[in-house]
């Protein structure tokens, strides 16, 4: 046993020596690099679940409608989906509701991730409380450098385990033009309907997708994609919500 411990330590040290600091996963964090939060601070946040497992975040638009990413729900039968609202923990508490229907954006492109937005209609209504409430849809293009918060139950490292309790991080918004510039490494993968956000050692990660990026009290972004999580030069990429404001309002009425 003792020999095994020494062997594992030696391998870990050897790995630490060869993996460049900029690409090594940040193993100290949450969401990645986050703090534990309480749902009363983020009453608009929900957990979207498939067959009892948390798969994505979402935001409450009204008593019946959740806004999320198209890639979260695409092709999943509605009877396999549920939404938990009003709880800091994805697996217990609050209220767990069935899904009546959802609609992904007609222009959603899984290759480029353009138009990665969807609305989900709950089968029964949400009752607002201190832990359940709405968030306003963003109405303007967020400015480069604006501060924002991201929250979710996603993995604490890339390909790591998800968090039982919600985690949040404060990040700074990066405009599409900035994010596609040579300051970062995505280049032309950043399309005009996307924005980025980053802070050193902090990022959204897998299964934070669909969840909210909130700035100034408005839903500014939807967690969409990224290369790894919290890797230098690769900010988190988000749907730019103000561009989809009309689509969300109209489709919330008809889904
Ligand atoms: C994902 O796979 C994912 N760092 C979501 C967000 C980010 C990376 C990956 C952003 O769902």
């Amino acid at each position: 046993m003792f020999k095994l411990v020494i062997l594992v330590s030696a391998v870990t040290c050897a790995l630490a020596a060869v993996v460049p600091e900029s690409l090594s996963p940040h193993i100290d964090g949450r969401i990645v690099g986050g703090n534990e939060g309480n749902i009363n601070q983020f009453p608009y946040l929900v957990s979207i679940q498939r067959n009892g497992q948390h798969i994505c975040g979402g935001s409450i638009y009204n008593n019946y409608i959740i806004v999320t990413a198209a890639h979260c729900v695409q092709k999943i039968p509605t009877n396999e989906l549920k939404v938990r609202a009003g709880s800091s923990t994805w697996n217990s508490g609050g209220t767990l509701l069935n899904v009546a229907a959802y609609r992904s954006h007609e222009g959603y492109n899984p290759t480029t991730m353009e138009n990665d937005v969807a609305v989900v209609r709950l089968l029964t209504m949400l009752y607002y409380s201190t832990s359940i409430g709405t968030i306003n849809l963003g109405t303007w293009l967020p400015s480069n450098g604006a501060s924002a918060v991201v929250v979710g139950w996603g993995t604490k490292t890339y390909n790591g385990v998800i968090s039982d309790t919600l985690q949040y991080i404060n990040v700074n918004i990066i405009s599409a033009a900035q994010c596609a510039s040579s300051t970062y490494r995505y280049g032309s993968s950043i399309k005009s309907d996307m924005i980025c956000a980053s802070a050193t050692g902090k990022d959204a990660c897998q299964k934070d997708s669909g969840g909210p990026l909130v700035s100034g009290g408005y839903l500014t972004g939807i967690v969409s994609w990224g290369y790894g999580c919290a890797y230098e030069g690769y900010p988190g990429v988000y749907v730019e919500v103000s561009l989809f404001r009309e689509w969300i309002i109209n489709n919330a009425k008809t889904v």
Side-chain angles (χ1 to χ4, degrees):
M1 180 59 189
F2 191 56
K3 272 185 189 158
L4 180 67
V5 171
I6 292 174
L7 180 67
V8 169
S9 308
V11 169
T12 310
C13 286
L15 271 179
V18 294
V19 176
E21 163 61 22
S22 62
L23 287 178
S24 64
H26 294 259
I27 54 169
D28 54 337
R30 316 293 168 76
I31 208 177
V32 174
N35 295 310
E36 198 166 289
N38 185 286
I39 195 68
N40 296 337
Q41 301 168 271
F42 313 99
Y44 47 83
L45 176 70
V46 299
S47 159
I48 298 181
Q49 310 193 354
R50 181 183 195 178
N51 296 329
Q53 294 302 311
H54 169 84
I55 57 165
C56 272
S59 302
I60 300 172
Y61 170 69
N62 68 27
N63 297 99
Y64 278 100
I65 301 290
I66 305 301
V67 176
T68 189
H71 84 262
C72 286
V73 288
Q74 197 71 350
K75 296 184 178 150
I76 301 179
T78 50
N79 66 357
E80 293 182 14
L81 288 170
K82 286 188 196 292
V83 170
R84 190 183 298 278
S87 180
S88 302
T89 51
W90 69 264
N91 203 19
S92 62
T95 179
L96 187 62
L97 302 180
N98 290 313
V99 167
Y102 64 80
R103 187 177 295 157
S104 296
H105 196 285
E106 304 74 19
Y108 168 58
N109 182 331
T111 307
T112 63
M113 297 301 274
E114 286 166 288
N115 305 304
D116 188 16
V117 57
V119 285
V120 174
R121 174 173 289 276
L122 301 168
L123 194 63
T124 54
M125 71 181 281
L126 285 165
Y127 292 92
Y128 299 147
S129 66
T130 52
S131 59
I132 299 182
T134 59
I135 181 92
N136 295 316
L137 299 177
T139 54
W140 63 86
L141 190 72
S143 50
N144 195 58
S147 62
V149 63
V150 194
V151 59
W153 290 273
T155 63
K156 298 175 183 184
T157 60
Y158 191 63
N159 290 336
V161 294
I162 64 169
S163 183
D164 293 334
T165 305
L166 69 84
Q167 305 282 324
Y168 70 93
I169 44 169
N170 295 310
V171 290
N172 295 297
I173 286 170
I174 303 164
S175 68
Q178 265 298 311
C179 198
S181 78
S182 59
T183 305
Y184 302 98
R185 304 190 197 175
Y186 287 127
S188 59
S189 301
I190 302 301
K191 309 300 184 190
S192 58
D193 70 331
M194 300 171 186
I195 47 163
C196 299
S198 74
T200 305
K202 299 178 187 179
D203 199 0
C205 206
Q206 294 149 309
K207 300 188 183 181
D208 288 317
S209 284
L213 172 77
V214 172
S215 185
Y218 284 82
L219 184 67
T220 296
I222 299 169
V223 180
S224 181
W225 65 279
Y227 174 75
C229 305
Y231 291 176
E232 201 178 312
Y234 296 97
V237 188
Y238 300 79
V239 175
E240 206 280 86
V241 169
S242 73
L243 294 172
F244 294 96
R245 189 183 157 80
E246 294 306 313
W247 187 91
I248 293 168
I249 292 170
N250 291 330
N251 286 276
K253 292 177 190 155
T254 52
V255 57

